[in-house]
Amino acid sequence: MAAPRENVYEVEEMLVQPGTYFNPQSEVVVIVDDSASIDQEVFSVEGYEGAEWVRVSDEVPVDEDARDRALESFEASSQGSEPLAPDALEETDDDLEEEEERPVGVPLEDEE
């Protein structure tokens, strides 16, 4: 298991190193893929001069299953255990019943 600081990157660092990155504060996943190439003549137009980033598409061409497996693998290696099942945090009827149970004779807060 890698130490947490070994996996922490500044934006400038991650943009030049392909990989999948996650920002825990904003909960945004960024995938850096340098395998694609676009004809640079497209960007020689005046509208793009000096631009650092250009949105190419609103589409997210990512294999969601592969992305989810990568995130789960990171979680497991960081926690030292298996990732939680997708529904592990969902409340069940049993959970709700336990919350509703109260000692006999004690009214609910909205009852008077």
Side-chain angles (χ1 to χ4, degrees), residues 98-108 111:
E98 289 175 12
E99 290 175 9
E100 292 174 0
E101 291 179 12
R102 63 185 188 288
V104 177
V106 177
L108 291 173
E111 291 180 0

Side-chain angles (χ1 to χ4, degrees), residues 55-67:
R55 177 179 243 167
V56 176
S57 171
D58 291 335
E59 298 295 317
V60 183
V62 173
D63 178 350
E64 292 179 8
D65 291 332
R67 180 206 57 212

Side-chain angles (χ1 to χ4, degrees), residues 7 19 27 36-37 42 50 54 56 60 63 104:
N7 290 327
E27 296 187 355
S37 179
V42 171
V54 176
V56 176
V60 183
D63 178 350
V104 177

Side-chain angles (χ1 to χ4, degrees), residues 62-84:
V62 173
D63 178 350
E64 292 179 8
D65 291 332
R67 180 206 57 212
D68 292 345
R69 283 191 304 272
L71 293 174
E72 289 170 1
S73 174
F74 173 78
E75 288 174 0
S77 67
S78 294
Q79 296 172 356
S81 63
E82 291 296 315
L84 293 174

Side-chain angles (χ1 to χ4, degrees), residues 75-97:
E75 288 174 0
S77 67
S78 294
Q79 296 172 356
S81 63
E82 291 296 315
L84 293 174
D87 61 347
L89 299 178
E90 292 179 11
E91 288 187 341
T92 64
D93 290 340
D94 293 338
D95 294 333
L96 295 175
E97 288 173 12

